Amino acid sequence: AQTVTQSQPEMSVQEAETVTLSCTYDTSESDYYLFWYKQPPSRQMILVIRQEAYKQQNATENRFSVNFQKAAKSFSLKISDSQLGDAAMYFCAYRSWDDMRFGAGTRLTVKP
Amino acid sequence: NAGVTQTPKFQVLKTGQSMTLQCAQDMNHEYMSWYRQDPGMGLRLIHYSVGAGITDQGEVPNGYNVSRSTTEDFPLRLLSAAPSQTSVYFCASSYASRGGTEAFFGQGTRLTVV
C-alpha cells in the first residue's frame, strides 16, 4: 500500500520569510498525482497545489511551489513571502487509481 | 454552490449506539470517499465508491458500513459506536477515480463516543 510521510509535525516561519514543508511517499506506480492541502482552523480542506508525476516541471501557484523529485519520491512545498493567513495544517497527499492517501500533516505557525 | 454537504457537524454518541453520517454532493462526481482525521495520523481512508452501486474498503474500514444507491449520496454508518471511533470525519468527492482532479471535501463531522 502506498504511504505518505511528513516528518515535520510542526514548523514555524517569520512573516515574509520562506518555509519548506517536506513530504516523501512510497509507491510502485509510475503514474500518479501529488497534492498539498491546507486545513485552517475552520477545518475546511483547501487544495493548495497539485503535481502530475509524468511532468518534470515543478508546479507553482503564486507564492506556493513544489520541489518534485520523482526518483527520490520526494514532494516538498515551498511557501514564499509567508503571510499570517498561511498558518494552518498542511497535508501532503498521493493519488493513484482508486484511493487517495494523506500524510500525518505539518502544523505551520506564522510569527508576525 | 452547495458542493459537498455533510451532516451533522457535531455528534455525541454513547458506546454501542449506531448512527449514520450523511454526505451529499451536487457536482455529479463519480468518486466519493470517507476519511477519519485523528491527531498525528492525518486523514485515513475508511471506504470509497467509484460510482453508484460500487463501494470498496480503505485503510480502516472496520466498524463502518457504506452504500451508494445514487451518484449524489454516500452515507457512512457506524454499526455499534466505540470510543476508538471518536474522530473528525470527512466526506470527499471528485470527478474521476484516478487522476489529478481535485477532491472536494465536506466541512467535517466531529464525533465523540462516550
Side-chain angles (χ1 to χ4, degrees), chain A residues 47-109:
Chain A
L47 178 67
V48 175
I49 199 165
R50 87 188 83 196
Q51 174 78 43
E52 295 88 342
Y54 62 86
K55 286 188 177 179
Q56 293 186 339
Q57 186 174 5
N58 290 326
T60 61
E61 286 288 343
N62 300 314
R63 297 183 294 107
F64 299 88
S65 62
V66 299
N67 183 4
F68 173 48
Q69 302 289 330
K70 191 171 184 179
K73 296 179 183 173
S74 169
F75 181 60
S76 60
L77 174 70
K78 185 170 83 171
I79 306 174
S80 304
D81 186 25
S82 297
Q83 300 175 359
L84 296 178
D86 294 333
M89 280 290 286
Y90 286 82
F91 292 99
C92 176
Y94 163 100
R95 184 170 194 180
S96 176
W97 294 113
D98 287 338
D99 65 16
M100 189 171 190
R101 303 294 175 112
F102 288 81
T106 296
R107 182 173 300 280
L108 178 66
T109 302

Side-chain angles (χ1 to χ4, degrees), chain A residues 4-6 8 21-25 36 73-76 92-93:
Chain A
V4 179
T5 302
Q6 293 179 250
Q8 307 154 314
L21 308 184
S22 301
C23 174
T24 59
Y25 58 94
W36 278 98
K73 296 179 183 173
S74 169
F75 181 60
S76 60
C92 176

Side-chain angles (χ1 to χ4, degrees), chain B residues 28-80:
Chain B
N28 203 30
H29 287 166
E30 303 96 339
Y31 183 80
M32 295 185 75
S33 54
W34 277 100
Y35 293 87
R36 60 177 288 173
Q37 182 180 6
D38 301 292
M41 305 192 76
L43 280 76
R44 291 182 292 167
L45 183 64
I46 304 171
H47 286 284
Y48 63 93
S49 169
V50 299
I54 306 169
T55 64
D56 209 342
Q57 297 180 350
E59 297 174 79
V60 287
N62 292 341
Y64 307 95
N65 260 358
V66 292
S67 60
R68 184 100 178 265
S69 56
T70 67
T71 299
E72 294 77 20
D73 300 298
F74 190 46
L76 177 72
R77 297 182 188 85
L78 279 69
L79 308 174
S80 177

